Amino acid sequence: MSIKPIGDTLVPMTTLDQLYAPIADDLAIVEDTLSLVAQSDFLPLEAMLNQVLSRGGKRLRPAISLLCGGFGDYDADTQIPLAASIELLHTATLVHDDVIDSADTRRGHVTANATFGNPASVMLGDYMFAHAAELVARTGHIGVIRLFADTLMVMAKGELAQDVSAFDADSGTMRDYYRRIHGKTASLFATAGAGGAMMSACDAQTIDSLREYGRSIGMAFQIVDDILDFCGTEEQLGKPVGGDLSAGTLTLPAIVLMEDNPDDNPINRFLDAREENGRGEFLDQALEAARQPSIVERCMETVEQWRNRGLDALHAAPTNGPREQLTAIAEFVTQRDF
């Protein structure tokens, strides 16, 4: 399969199937690869892998990786293992996140730790990290392998930064927030963009442009997630609303509310509550205050700024690649409500 050249005119696209049309065949093989990962001669492990890998998802990261490969000499034999490794790495981090957060559900499904317990789930995530590394090693591209390793370290630091700053009001700065979400989310989007381009032997400028596209879209993606955590519904999210703040994690809506009311606000009152059973009232107040239209609008303006930054980077890439699909993905990330 080869990527179909796309022009600069954006055709309205509303479904992921349409967005992924140029890479549909190879994305299906990525799914097959993940299904093979779930097979094991150790039946308890196979059951755990099937639980976390059979749920599908938006597959934005592997799709971006495959699409960015279309800016150069696209070779499915190396692009597909890279895309699969990126998705497997992402899924492994979710398994570990659920352990750290003591989450019982994710996107409406029971988590691995709720089913199998924390120790087994930690080892499951470790196994998936190792398997993701094996997949990326199949590419034989030392630069991409090094990029994968660097990304894993950045993601781990991002998660650590979030964990150690829990319930710390001093961590509620925009700089701290951007650093955290770059580490935990945007860095892998950046690797998807840069890795796909590197694998297809693109020039350094194109690689840098697609890296910045991925990073910026990843930032926008995470900020939308953080807005929905305040403004969505449990049915939409597949988990309780306000989960981030409940865990003491300060995201953009909370930070904007704190900046608007530095001396007295329900976020600080929630963080200052010493007894866990005394935080509930303050949490409800904080969630209600952060849902104010003015705060949500400012947060969405930030999303749009990151999206536009990603599109500016994309426009610096060659015109012979699948710009239309990548532009539409940027719009999808900005406008999604789940």
Side-chain angles (χ1 to χ4, degrees):
M1 197 283 290
S2 60
I3 294 287
K4 302 177 181 68
I6 303 293
D8 288 331
T9 303
L10 178 62
V11 177
M13 298 179 184
T14 57
T15 70
L16 289 179
D17 285 344
Q18 290 173 310
L19 298 183
Y20 297 164
I23 42 110
D25 293 343
D26 286 358
L27 198 56
I29 301 175
V30 169
E31 293 290 345
D32 292 342
T33 303
L34 295 174
S35 295
L36 289 173
V37 170
Q39 296 179 12
S40 173
D41 57 1
F42 182 48
L43 293 182
L45 175 61
E46 184 171 85
M48 297 171 73
L49 289 167
N50 274 306
Q51 175 165 324
V52 298
L53 291 175
S54 64
R55 295 170 181 170
K58 291 179 284 292
R59 303 306 197 218
L60 282 170
R61 297 158 188 82
I64 288 173
S65 179
L66 293 173
L67 286 167
C68 287
F71 286 87
D73 184 14
Y74 187 96
D75 181 359
D77 289 341
T78 53
Q79 293 286 351
I80 289 170
L82 171 61
S85 73
I86 287 171
E87 184 65 14
L88 189 57
L89 173 57
H90 165 60
T91 308
T93 63
L94 298 183
V95 171
H96 278 181
D97 284 353
D98 290 338
V99 172
I100 293 169
D101 297 339
S102 300
D104 293 328
T105 60
R106 177 177 288 277
R107 301 300 183 194
H109 297 283
V110 177
T111 58
N113 52 292
T115 304
F116 304 106
N118 285 345
S121 296
V122 170
M123 295 308 297
L124 172 65
D126 291 346
Y127 178 87
M128 294 167 68
F129 282 133
H131 214 313
E134 189 276 330
L135 283 170
V136 77
R138 294 184 197 177
T139 67
H141 192 303
I142 188 62
V144 170
I145 294 169
R146 183 177 292 116
L147 175 64
F148 181 92
D150 289 343
T151 303
L152 181 52
M153 288 188 286
V154 171
M155 293 176 72
K157 286 193 290 186
E159 290 293 347
L160 280 170
Q162 178 171 297
D163 186 54
V164 301
S165 64
F167 295 99
D168 180 6
D170 291 335
S171 69
T173 68
M174 291 299 298
R175 183 176 181 179
D176 289 333
Y177 174 64
Y178 284 154
R179 184 184 297 115
R180 289 199 307 271
I181 67 172
H182 169 263
K184 66 177 290 185
T185 300
S187 60
L188 190 54
F189 276 84
T191 292
M198 291 169 67
M199 195 61 64
S200 60
C202 290
D203 59 69
Q205 181 178 345
T206 300
I207 292 169
D208 287 344
S209 295
L210 296 176
R211 176 186 289 109
E212 181 57 30
Y213 164 82
R215 185 180 82 92
S216 298
I217 298 309
M219 296 289 283
F221 180 93
Q222 184 59 55
I223 296 170
V224 171
D225 255 15
D226 294 341
I227 295 170
L228 290 174
D229 190 56
F230 280 84
C231 302
T233 65
E234 186 166 346
E235 182 179 3
Q236 283 177 312
L237 302 176
K239 60 181 181 179
V241 176
D244 290 332
L245 188 57
S246 295
T249 300
L250 296 176
T251 58
L252 187 60
I255 292 169
V256 171
L257 179 60
M258 293 169 71
E259 288 181 345
D260 284 354
N261 305 276
D263 297 326
D264 182 38
N265 63 76
I267 302 292
N268 285 110
R269 291 195 291 273
F270 169 75
L271 297 175
D272 289 341
R274 293 292 180 237
E275 298 296 329
E276 185 174 345
N277 58 10
R279 290 189 176 127
E281 179 182 355
F282 296 129
L283 177 62
D284 292 339
Q285 293 174 4
L287 292 174
E288 184 64 29
R291 294 189 188 110
Q292 296 175 51
S294 61
I295 290 178
V296 175
E297 288 171 8
R298 285 166 58 190
C299 291
M300 285 305 303
E301 287 173 0
T302 303
V303 171
E304 292 168 3
Q305 289 167 7
W306 281 107
R307 177 204 60 194
N308 292 341
R309 183 168 178 168
L311 292 176
D312 287 344
L314 179 62
H315 293 156
T319 58
N320 65 330
R323 280 189 178 187
E324 183 178 325
Q325 273 70 27
L326 290 169
T327 299
I329 284 175
E331 296 297 334
F332 171 82
V333 164
T334 304
Q335 299 171 12
R336 69 193 176 92
D337 59 359
F338 61 93

